């Protein structure tokens, strides 16, 4: 029986010398509603689809993989939005993250959010999102993109 090997996230050093992971995420919208997941792991809060870039992987490959892993479906289209080092964005093992953010679409009838990744999920309007406890980096992205 083969044990599944979890790949290591791609690491680097932040501008101020701390351990940094590379991450990718997507803002997914359908008819004025945004797909959010209530994260199972730190940092907690409602978030868009995202994850670490694995060692040896490029950002776009990681984005496509995360779509399959977290949403159970393929991303249909991807548009690059921005990249940024976020020195205050932490996870269980890194104190900073370097992000690439995309806008993406999916077939909403095929989305099956992985229960190992999220406590719950749904499609929310801007007004609903403004009242939610968003994961801090996602509040940052939604604000920068003019969604909040």
């Amino acid at each position: 029986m083969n044990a599944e090997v979890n790949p290591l996230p791609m690491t680097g050093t932040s501008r101020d010398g701390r351990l940094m992971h590379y991450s990718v995420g997507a803002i997914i919208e359908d008819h004025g509603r945004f797909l959010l997941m209530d994260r199972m792991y730190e940092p907690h809060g409602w978030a868009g689809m995202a994850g670490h870039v694995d060692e040896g992987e490029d950002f776009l490959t990681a984005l496509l993989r995360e779509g399959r892993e977290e949403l159970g479906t393929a991303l249909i289209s991807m548009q690059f939005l921005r990249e940024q080092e976020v020195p205050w964005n932490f996870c269980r093992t890194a104190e900073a993250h370097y992000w690439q953010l995309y806008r993406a679409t999916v077939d909403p009838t095929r989305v099956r959010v992985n229960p190992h990744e999220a406590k719950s999920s749904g499609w929310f309007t801007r007004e609903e999102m403004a009242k939610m406890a968003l994961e801090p980096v996602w509040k940052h992205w939604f604000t920068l993109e003019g969604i909040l």
Side-chain angles (χ1 to χ4, degrees):
M1 178 182 202
N2 292 338
E4 187 175 318
V5 176
N6 290 327
L8 295 173
M10 184 167 42
T11 60
T13 304
S14 67
R15 287 187 200 135
D16 60 2
R18 295 176 295 140
L19 176 65
M20 180 174 70
H21 285 163
Y22 291 81
S23 293
V24 64
I27 295 173
I28 299 174
E29 181 181 5
D30 183 62
H31 295 93
R33 298 175 83 76
F34 296 86
L35 179 60
L36 298 178
M37 299 175 280
D38 189 8
R39 291 262 176 230
M40 188 76 70
Y41 304 104
E42 282 191 301
H44 296 289
W46 289 90
M49 187 216 81
H52 288 124
V53 177
D54 291 340
E55 279 295 335
E57 203 174 36
D58 61 61
F59 283 94
L60 191 54
T61 300
L63 182 70
L64 294 168
R65 176 184 49 76
E66 288 292 341
R68 289 186 307 273
E69 288 176 5
E70 291 192 357
L71 306 180
T73 190
L75 300 177
I76 297 169
S77 65
M78 288 86 40
Q79 174 192 6
F80 175 78
L81 295 174
R82 64 180 67 235
E83 61 185 323
Q84 180 180 12
E85 181 179 313
V86 185
W88 46 264
N89 180 222
F90 67 92
C91 68
R92 290 176 282 178
T93 57
E95 298 174 323
H97 283 77
Y98 187 92
W99 280 82
Q100 277 195 4
L101 182 68
Y102 293 78
R103 189 174 279 270
T105 58
V106 295
D107 177 345
T109 65
R110 294 184 171 272
V111 172
R112 303 289 180 268
V113 173
N114 185 336
H116 300 291
E117 298 278 346
K119 296 179 258 183
S120 61
S121 63
W123 295 87
F124 301 94
T125 64
R126 294 169 191 252
E127 295 77 20
E128 291 168 324
M129 290 167 58
K131 298 174 187 171
M132 297 170 76
L134 297 172
E135 182 182 324
V137 78
W138 281 95
K139 184 172 184 178
H140 174 71
W141 296 136
F142 290 135
T143 300
L144 283 177
E145 292 301 318
I147 295 166
L148 292 180

